[in-house]
Amino acid sequence: MGEYIAVQTKSGDTYDAYLAVPEQGSGPGLVLLQEIFGVNGYMRDMADRFAQEGYVAIVPDLFWRSERRVELEYDEAGVARGLQLAGELDFALAVDDIDDAVTALRALPGQAGGVGVLGYCMGGLLAYLSALTLQIDCAVSYYGVGVHEYLGRAAELQVPMVFHLAELDAFCPEPARRAIRNAFAGNDRVRVYEYPEVDHAFATHGRDSFDPVSTAMAYSRTLELLRQTIGPRYDLSALWDQHIHHEFVTRDVPATMATMVDEPYVNHVPTLTGGVGKTDLARFYADHFVHANPADMRAIPVSRTVGADRIVEEQVLCFTHDREIDWMLPGVAPTGRYVEIPLVAVVTFRGDKLYNEHIYWDQASVLAQLGLLDPSGLPVAGVGQSRKLLDKTLPSNELIPNWATGVPVPTP
């Protein structure tokens, strides 16, 4: 998606920086700061990713004074060379270079709004140092090495910032992490998140330490800060409504796919139906979803929670099983029975496009309502699930055998 540009320094020199611009051509600015491995494939991938989110993203080549356009692998030789280059780096000059990148970013015709700085490892420390001195709007530090050594300046931090720390990070052990937490405990502009059972560089795909679950959580928290401080702000609720309109009303597969990123995925968790990638998902929608829903299918909305990059939708799905429903009941011939089932959709966005959907429901309840599962003696609720969800006054605990004969506990 991106290209290299030349950044002019205050001293009159130039260095290279990788630049990725969103599809719409403009957006807030984001400076991404490298690990010790240079502006490698991972850093370019992340710039492209943030461009998808609507940011004009730039990755300055901070090692340019020692060697230009360094790209190191995550192997023994790469680590050795990266540590050598990091040892040669003058951090004060690096912050000056970052300032020059900010200036170059603001001068671009497509940069609109604020500017944030985000760094990984060595870049995580530089993001913090940048937030202390530069004219930026927010900062994010992923497992910054050495942050605890600069906490004497913590009171100088005046912009919103997020720190992502790893429990098993030998470069930032518990005493250092505790010092960071304590230093910013009274600063409501700062959030310090710690991720259990993960190591340094847990967000770097391609490394043994990569942990996708913690990475996804940290990414959402990062976007929350960026959206709140520099934007862009998308109406995710309206985007989701548009998507489901094409799924269930117009039943238009190309229009449905147009609301999604180029490589989306959908997972109906109980039945493992859906698709990964544009080709498989379009085929799934066309052959097994949009034209395979009952004529009377409707959804009763219960709640909708909208976050920085995702929606959690809670609803009651109602339908008559008048046809084979491939995505929910694959291979099951129509029974003609009526079903009401609570359903939860967790929908993630990248920018203004849907990225993935995780859809959950209780399959045992569906099968029981269709007469395909005998719930006798099993902790399975049928239509009572949806009725209780819509009316909290209905009785609870009826599946607990001794509930009715139990002794009530006095309330204080």
Side-chain angles (χ1 to χ4, degrees), residues 35 46 57 66 68 92 94 100 102 146 159 168 207 257 266 273 286 312 314 318 326 366 383 389-390 404:
E35 305 168 295
M46 293 311 300
S66 294
R68 292 180 181 267
D100 292 328
V102 171
V159 298
L168 305 181
R207 300 188 67 173
M257 296 302 300
V266 170
T273 55
V312 178
E314 187 182 21
C318 311
D326 290 345
V366 174
V383 72
L389 182 60
L390 296 173

Side-chain angles (χ1 to χ4, degrees), residues 14-77:
T14 60
Y15 69 83
D16 293 334
Y18 181 79
L19 177 71
V21 178
E23 185 178 353
Q24 65 269 27
S26 64
L30 186 62
V31 182
L32 298 181
L33 304 179
Q34 66 186 59
E35 305 168 295
I36 64 171
F37 302 95
V39 184
N40 60 1
Y42 171 69
M43 294 304 302
R44 295 194 300 273
D45 284 349
M46 293 311 300
D48 292 346
R49 168 81 67 83
F50 281 108
Q52 282 187 309
E53 299 287 2
Y55 299 97
V56 179
I58 190 170
V59 191
D61 175 12
L62 298 179
F63 286 156
W64 68 275
R65 289 183 176 84
S66 294
E67 181 182 344
R68 292 180 181 267
R69 290 210 192 183
V70 171
E71 291 190 43
L72 301 175
E73 300 295 330
Y74 299 119
D75 55 17
E76 186 175 343

